[in-house]
Amino acid sequence: MKDRRLRRADLILIAILLAAGVLMSLGAVLLSRDGGTVVVRVDGEVVASYPLSEDREAEIAGVNGGVNRLVIRDGSARIEEASCPDRLCVGMGVIRRAGQSIICLPNRVVIEIAGSGAPETDAVSE
Amino acid sequence: MKNPAKTVALYGLLTALALILSWLEAQIPAFFAVPGVKLGLANLAVVTALYLAGAPCACAVSLLRIVLVSVLFGNSAAFAYSLAGGVFSLLVMILLKKAGRFGTVAVSVCGGVAHVTAQLAAAAVLTGTSALGWYLPVLWFSGIAAGAVIGLIGGELCRALTRAGRKGEKL
């Protein structure tokens, strides 16, 4: 009865998926570099970029009148305040490594950490 | 299931179940900061439909749920993500079930993983950024865990319903 519920093939498949997840996490950690620039996008367009090394606060105007307040402090960036209903972007915490991002879907705002190179680069993350 | 009235009743019942589960899940506050990490309770109805009545029923329940939820309490952006996740996970689950080697748990786990992957891809396209790749590992594990829970409950539900069906009338 028990093996009908969880067959051998099930366990193998789940084990493969878990292993793939571990590999992905390892890859994400190993490939990460320290970030240099905070790039702000609204609706896919780059609207601003700030060096991660300078403390700063900025109001970002998202779509449909939405506002997100970006705070850069001690080499990391976060959204402190947002007008969106779910405020998931506030809950996403701080980011500091290249390729990390905070997304506010309702306001279509993406905060992204780029490497220390040119801020306009698009190939910051794998 | 040759009786069309029974078919309609079963489709309606499972769609209603999916809607109630969607509503129920919306009442639970997000317990994890990363968007997309959730149980996906409504997929319980989809998995049950798939095993109880087959792929057409699962497609009907899943798509009807997505359309109805977005009409009732959603917005257009959420609709796009739900649709991408729902369609891709349906496809994966139907194919895996067809393969015949896997039980509800593995099918549902793969459905969960397919769901988060497609949603992330949709989000990457809609926001025009590749930086979302960072979330894939987190969402991947959450998809596996949620899929396992849904698969276990769904499997039990199907067994119980089949037993009940045998006792009374054939489903």
Side-chain angles (χ1 to χ4, degrees), chain A residues 41-56:
Chain A
R41 281 171 212 266
V42 176
D43 219 2
E45 301 282 318
V46 175
V47 295
S49 60
Y50 309 109
L52 200 52
S53 51
E54 283 170 31
D55 288 2
R56 175 194 306 266

Side-chain angles (χ1 to χ4, degrees), chain A residues 4-7 9-10 13-14 17-18 21-22 24-25 28 32 44 88 91-92 98-101 103 105 110 112 122 125, chain B residues 33 35 81 96 100-103 105-106 109-110 113 126-132 134-137 140-141 144 156 159:
Chain A
R4 236 190 54 199
R5 272 163 215 213
L6 209 55
R7 300 178 212 176
D10 290 4
L13 190 59
I14 293 169
L17 287 174
L18 283 172
V22 170
M24 256 190 288
S25 314
S32 74
L88 283 168
M92 282 164 89
Q100 280 186 308
S101 59
I103 297 108
L105 285 176
V110 178
E112 201 177 319
D122 226 339
S125 71
Chain B
Y81 303 123
L96 270 180
R101 306 176 57 97
F102 306 105
V105 177
V109 163
C110 289
V113 168
L126 283 176
T127 57
T129 169
S130 55
L132 287 155
W134 261 91
Y135 293 115
L136 188 56
W140 186 274
F141 285 116
I144 292 176
E156 287 307 315
R159 266 183 285 276

Side-chain angles (χ1 to χ4, degrees), chain B residues 59-149:
Chain B
C59 292
V61 169
S62 176
L63 298 179
L64 278 172
R65 177 194 80 85
I66 291 166
V67 171
L68 288 173
V69 163
S70 87
V71 168
L72 289 175
F73 11 76
N75 53 49
S76 55
F79 177 71
Y81 303 123
S82 307
L83 195 63
V87 168
F88 190 50
S89 99
L90 253 180
L91 212 70
V92 167
M93 290 199 292
I94 290 170
L95 289 177
L96 270 180
K97 190 194 167 227
K98 268 224 163 86
R101 306 176 57 97
F102 306 105
T104 50
V105 177
V107 167
S108 167
V109 163
C110 289
V113 168
H115 202 277
V116 294
T117 310
Q119 279 198 320
L120 199 63
V125 169
L126 283 176
T127 57
T129 169
S130 55
L132 287 155
W134 261 91
Y135 293 115
L136 188 56
V138 181
L139 290 178
W140 186 274
F141 285 116
S142 112
I144 292 176
V149 172

Side-chain angles (χ1 to χ4, degrees), chain A residues 53-120:
Chain A
S53 51
E54 283 170 31
D55 288 2
R56 175 194 306 266
E57 287 192 21
E59 297 273 334
I60 299 152
V63 298
N64 301 325
V67 178
N68 300 62
R69 188 213 293 277
L70 167 71
V71 174
I72 302 173
R73 192 173 299 146
D74 302 329
S76 60
R78 68 191 180 96
I79 300 286
E80 192 181 66
E81 202 43 67
S83 64
C84 51
D86 54 12
R87 291 164 53 86
L88 283 168
C89 50
V90 179
M92 282 164 89
V94 299
I95 53 172
R96 58 172 71 236
R97 315 208 65 164
Q100 280 186 308
S101 59
I102 296 175
I103 297 108
C104 174
L105 285 176
N107 294 351
R108 295 274 183 94
V109 169
V110 178
I111 313 290
E112 201 177 319
I113 308 280
S116 12
E120 266 75 42

Side-chain angles (χ1 to χ4, degrees), chain B residues 4-81:
Chain B
K6 263 187 205 166
T7 310
V8 170
L10 183 64
Y11 276 43
L13 202 73
L14 287 167
T15 307
L17 178 66
L19 275 180
I20 291 169
L21 290 172
S22 298
W23 174 83
L24 195 69
E25 179 146 23
Q27 305 311 304
I28 307 169
F31 54 90
F32 206 80
V34 179
V37 174
K38 56 181 183 179
L39 194 48
L41 267 178
N43 287 319
L44 187 54
V46 178
V47 171
T48 308
L50 181 61
Y51 275 86
L52 220 53
C57 184
C59 292
V61 169
S62 176
L63 298 179
L64 278 172
R65 177 194 80 85
I66 291 166
V67 171
L68 288 173
V69 163
S70 87
V71 168
L72 289 175
F73 11 76
N75 53 49
S76 55
F79 177 71
Y81 303 123

